[in-house]
């Protein structure tokens, strides 16, 4: 779970609509998607939960904002390991996952980072996009049945 003091910090710093397309209901679904993939592939659940709640937290608009992942990584960099509840290696995974979640410039084979990215892409239904399996990275996420399940969740009203 995400601790209340983390939620409070995110809320204080989030400058968009908390209930909007890049807000907390999106973050919660990304968390669920990621945890379900992690159960299958052993990705790091703590990093996945934090990614879900931090990756879009520094967005400045709901459309084109190519640097928001980089800003999220910078925001995380300032936070202590104790506050985040992770170790240094996990913090680095989390920062890389956030920094490159839209540009995918990190040529990584790290299953935790790839799971983070899939968990976000699987929530595209909320903006009218059906996730394509060729855009996903992990075998579990690529399954038609799982894509369908995440899509159905993503188009539900919060
Ligand atoms: Fe996102």
């Amino acid at each position: 779970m995400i601790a209340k003091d983390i939620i409070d910090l995110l809320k204080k710093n989030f400058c968009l609509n908390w209930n909007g397309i890049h807000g907390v209901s999106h973050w919660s679904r990304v968390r669920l998607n990621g945890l379900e993939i992690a159960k299958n592939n052993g990705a790091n659940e703590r990093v996945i939960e934090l990614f879900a709640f931090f990756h879009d937290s520094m967005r400045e608009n709901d459309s084109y904002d190519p640097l928001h992942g980089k800003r999220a990584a910078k925001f995380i960099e300032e936070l202590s390991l104790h506050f985040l509840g992770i170790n240094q290696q996990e913090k680095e995974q989390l920062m890389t996952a956030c920094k490159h979640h839209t540009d995918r410039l990190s040529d990584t084979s790290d299953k935790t980072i790839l799971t983070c990215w899939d968990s976000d892409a699987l929530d595209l239904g909320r903006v009218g996009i059906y996730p394509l399996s060729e855009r996903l990275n992990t075998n579990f996420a690529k399954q038609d049945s799982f894509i369908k399940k995440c899509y159905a969740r993503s188009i539900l009203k919060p």
Side-chain angles (χ1 to χ4, degrees):
M1 287 307 289
I2 300 292
K4 189 183 177 301
D5 50 354
I6 292 182
I7 303 275
D8 289 346
L9 178 78
L10 291 167
K11 207 165 190 174
K12 208 173 86 188
N13 285 275
F14 191 54
C15 64
L16 302 177
N17 179 357
W18 185 248
N19 297 307
I21 58 168
H22 293 105
V24 72
S25 57
H26 166 56
W27 305 348
S28 303
R29 290 188 302 267
V30 171
R31 174 180 173 274
L32 287 179
N33 295 345
L35 290 179
E36 209 163 329
I37 303 168
K39 230 180 270 161
N40 176 269
N41 70 3
N44 184 309
E45 294 187 7
R46 187 67 194 147
V47 172
I48 282 162
E49 289 192 292
L50 290 167
F51 169 83
F53 275 68
F54 276 92
H55 76 284
D56 280 338
S57 67
M58 291 290 117
R59 269 191 168 272
E60 291 174 352
N61 64 62
D62 276 322
S63 53
Y64 185 68
D65 183 2
L67 297 179
H68 74 277
K70 212 173 179 177
R71 286 196 299 274
K74 257 203 138 51
F75 183 50
I76 292 163
E77 194 170 19
E78 306 298 320
L79 303 173
S80 72
L81 297 176
H82 177 75
F83 181 77
L84 292 166
I86 50 179
N87 63 34
Q88 185 59 35
Q89 191 213 336
E90 291 168 327
K91 186 176 178 181
E92 277 157 27
Q93 279 177 313
L94 175 61
M95 286 168 55
T96 302
C98 287
K99 191 173 177 181
H100 296 299
H101 79 275
T102 48
D103 62 34
R104 312 274 169 109
L105 284 178
S106 172
D107 185 19
T108 184
S109 57
D110 183 316
K111 68 180 171 193
T112 294
I113 294 173
L114 294 173
T115 298
C116 289
W117 294 346
D118 283 357
S119 63
D120 187 28
L122 284 161
D123 198 49
L124 282 170
R126 76 196 192 284
V127 289
I129 299 171
Y130 193 86
L132 296 173
S133 68
E134 56 265 36
R135 294 281 182 89
L136 299 168
N137 301 284
T138 62
N139 289 334
F140 187 81
K142 283 172 181 281
Q143 298 175 104
D144 289 342
S145 57
F146 189 61
I147 294 174
K148 208 169 169 182
K149 178 180 175 179
C150 295
Y151 178 76
R153 183 154 59 206
S154 72
I155 58 174
L156 291 174
K157 293 276 172 257

